[in-house]
Amino acid sequence: MKVLVIGGGAREHALCRSLSLDPDVTALHCAPGNAGIAEVAELHPVDALDGADVVRLATELAADLVVVGPEAPLVAGVADAVRAAGIPVFGPSGEAAQLEGSKAFAKDVMAGAGVPTARSYVCTTAAEIDEALDAFGAPYVVKDDGLAAGKGVVVTDDLATAREHALACDRVVIEEYLDGPEVSLFAITDGTTVLPLQPAQDFKRALDGDEGPNTGGMGAYSPLPWADPKLVDEVMESVLQPTVDELRRRGTPFSGLLYAGLALTGRGTRVIEFNARFGDPETQVVLARLKTPLAGVLLHAANGTLDQQPSLAWRSDAAVTVVVASHNYPGTPRTGDPIEGLAEVAAEDAPQAYVLHAGTALRGDAVVSAGGRVLSVTATGSDLAQARDRAYKAVGRIRLEGSQHRTDIARKAAEGS
């Protein structure tokens, strides 16, 4: 099978790493990719938001499967163009991807499917914003209705901060605050059959102790030793399957990766948000634990034959990923700084620990930073404590001037607290 992955972040590096280990994959391509992905896949230039350009490349490569990684190409309808060209593609249509592209659309689908979520208001005027903020009170949860690369959500006790963010959005969703731990659960679906993956937990805040601004994610771990063993089955029954069924009923079947961000509240599980693609950095730990070869599962989803896929096999190992971010992230990041220590990790820590590239580029033979989140240092171990130790040992070998990372990823879970 020849596979083309669209994207260039740590999520796509994780996907490419898993696909490169799949014996059924005879050729692996990525566009545009990054410095790390170049080690496992052949890179190609492409306009990832241009369906015609992606189709051109997939046709030239005679790809048997196209995997669209990021949300922006999905919302732009790139998967539709690939499907129309007769090439199997893993990723929802532009219309179905509105589940992530519009918070208001997602709320409407959840209402139709009877999916439990936070009460909310969709606001377009200052008066509506003030009324909604007053109705819910602090903590205020304010979400840009559109795509915002994981940084469109503000959760704050400060009314002025909440109002400022809301007024900066064309359309905004203001909702009640959901207490309790958060869980990410991915499911692969062909629009009818739904196949859940293992749950993970990510860390959205920039600083230790869940302080600082929201980010795209600073780390993640899996499994969740504190979670109810029935959690996946319950979320399948109350959230994932009803959502897929509702979208099919509406004539917008969802085929690809459905991501449910969940809050385990005192009143039961509630959906915080849906995404229409693999999440970053949770993908890094979930795929590290997946034993079933990946390409066949994605192809079944693309071809509408997921009911023929045997149940997934998982490693008993735990996995932890720690994001190394550039100076000033999540503000305007500093880029172009050389990254050292990658060869040391490969020589000293592999295969239990390895580095997945996010925002990197090649400058001559040197790898340099090229984004806010630069690397995802990922490790596996017999339990979370061992995986965590291995991940942070590898992080300690990385040298990137001004870089930052959280030191408490998976600490509480590893300590059983």
Side-chain angles (χ1 to χ4, degrees), residues 130-151:
D130 289 339
E131 189 177 341
L133 291 172
D134 184 59
F136 287 130
Y140 304 101
V141 181
V142 184
K143 300 181 176 182
D144 190 333
D145 180 54
L147 291 180
K151 295 187 280 288

Side-chain angles (χ1 to χ4, degrees), residues 50-183:
D50 183 343
D53 200 32
V54 173
V55 168
R56 171 199 58 76
L57 179 59
T59 304
E60 284 177 9
L61 298 173
D64 300 301
L65 174 66
V66 175
V67 180
V68 183
E71 59 272 28
L74 291 168
V75 172
V78 166
D80 300 90
V82 178
R83 253 186 219 102
I87 303 169
V89 59
F90 183 80
S93 67
E95 209 173 341
Q98 286 301 311
L99 203 58
E100 177 170 4
S102 167
K103 306 288 190 302
F105 176 78
K107 288 288 187 182
D108 189 57
V109 170
M110 283 188 265
V115 168
T117 186
R119 293 179 298 121
S120 64
Y121 294 103
V122 179
C123 307
T124 56
T125 68
E128 290 173 347
I129 287 167
D130 289 339
E131 189 177 341
L133 291 172
D134 184 59
F136 287 130
Y140 304 101
V141 181
V142 184
K143 300 181 176 182
D144 190 333
D145 180 54
L147 291 180
K151 295 187 280 288
V153 178
V154 164
V155 181
T156 180
D157 287 318
D158 184 66
L159 177 59
T161 301
R163 191 170 188 273
E164 181 184 18
H165 181 66
L167 290 170
C169 304
D170 289 332
R171 187 159 76 149
V172 66
V173 174
I174 296 172
E175 61 184 40
E176 67 175 326
Y177 176 76
L178 297 175
D179 63 336
E182 295 183 12
V183 173

Side-chain angles (χ1 to χ4, degrees), residues 26-336:
T26 53
L28 182 58
H29 303 271
C30 187
N34 63 37
I37 295 174
E39 296 176 8
V40 295
E42 185 179 342
L43 302 191
H44 305 269
V46 78
D47 181 349
L49 297 175
D50 183 343
D53 200 32
V54 173
V55 168
R56 171 199 58 76
L57 179 59
T59 304
E60 284 177 9
L61 298 173
D64 300 301
L65 174 66
V66 175
V67 180
V68 183
E71 59 272 28
L74 291 168
V75 172
V78 166
D80 300 90
V82 178
R83 253 186 219 102
I87 303 169
V89 59
F90 183 80
S93 67
E95 209 173 341
Q98 286 301 311
L99 203 58
E100 177 170 4
S102 167
K103 306 288 190 302
F105 176 78
K107 288 288 187 182
D108 189 57
V109 170
M110 283 188 265
V115 168
T117 186
R119 293 179 298 121
S120 64
Y121 294 103
V122 179
C123 307
T124 56
T125 68
E128 290 173 347
I129 287 167
D130 289 339
E131 189 177 341
L133 291 172
D134 184 59
F136 287 130
Y140 304 101
V141 181
V142 184
K143 300 181 176 182
D144 190 333
D145 180 54
L147 291 180
K151 295 187 280 288
V153 178
V154 164
V155 181
T156 180
D157 287 318
D158 184 66
L159 177 59
T161 301
R163 191 170 188 273
E164 181 184 18
H165 181 66
L167 290 170
C169 304
D170 289 332
R171 187 159 76 149
V172 66
V173 174
I174 296 172
E175 61 184 40
E176 67 175 326
Y177 176 76
L178 297 175
D179 63 336
E182 295 183 12
V183 173
S184 299
L185 185 60
F186 301 163
I188 291 171
T189 178
D190 60 4
T192 302
T193 301
V194 182
L195 200 61
L197 305 186
Q198 289 287 299
Q201 186 174 60
D202 77 331
F203 294 75
K204 283 277 188 274
R205 298 283 188 169
L207 307 175
D208 284 5
D210 291 327
E211 299 289 334
N214 260 1
T215 71
M218 295 299 291
Y221 69 93
S222 179
L224 311 181
W226 47 268
D228 188 327
K230 300 196 206 80
L231 176 65
V232 174
D233 290 341
E234 288 174 358
V235 174
M236 265 289 292
E237 187 178 332
S238 65
V239 175
L240 298 171
Q241 191 70 58
T243 300
V244 169
D245 291 346
E246 172 68 12
L247 285 164
R248 189 177 65 253
R249 186 188 68 76
R250 292 175 176 227
T252 54
F254 187 104
S255 168
L257 194 290
L258 177 59
Y259 163 123
L262 308 165
L264 309 187
T265 77
R267 292 165 293 132
T269 301
R270 299 286 186 272
V271 174
I272 301 168
E273 64 176 354
F274 283 125
N275 289 338
R277 39 72 195 182
F278 279 101
D280 182 343
E282 300 98 319
T283 301
Q284 290 85 305
V285 291
V286 172
L287 292 186
R289 300 186 57 227
L290 180 64
K291 191 186 289 186
T292 301
L294 183 61
V297 185
L298 303 186
L299 187 62
H300 273 308
N303 285 336
T305 54
L306 199 58
D307 59 339
Q308 298 173 22
Q309 171 66 42
S311 58
L312 300 177
W314 296 91
R315 297 183 178 89
S316 57
D317 285 359
V320 172
T321 193
V322 179
V323 170
V324 177
S326 56
H327 177 73
N328 201 45
Y329 179 78
T332 304
R334 193 173 77 198
T335 59

Side-chain angles (χ1 to χ4, degrees), residues 3 15 120 325 384 399 408:
V3 182
L15 286 163
S120 64
L384 283 173
R399 296 179 296 283
D408 62 348

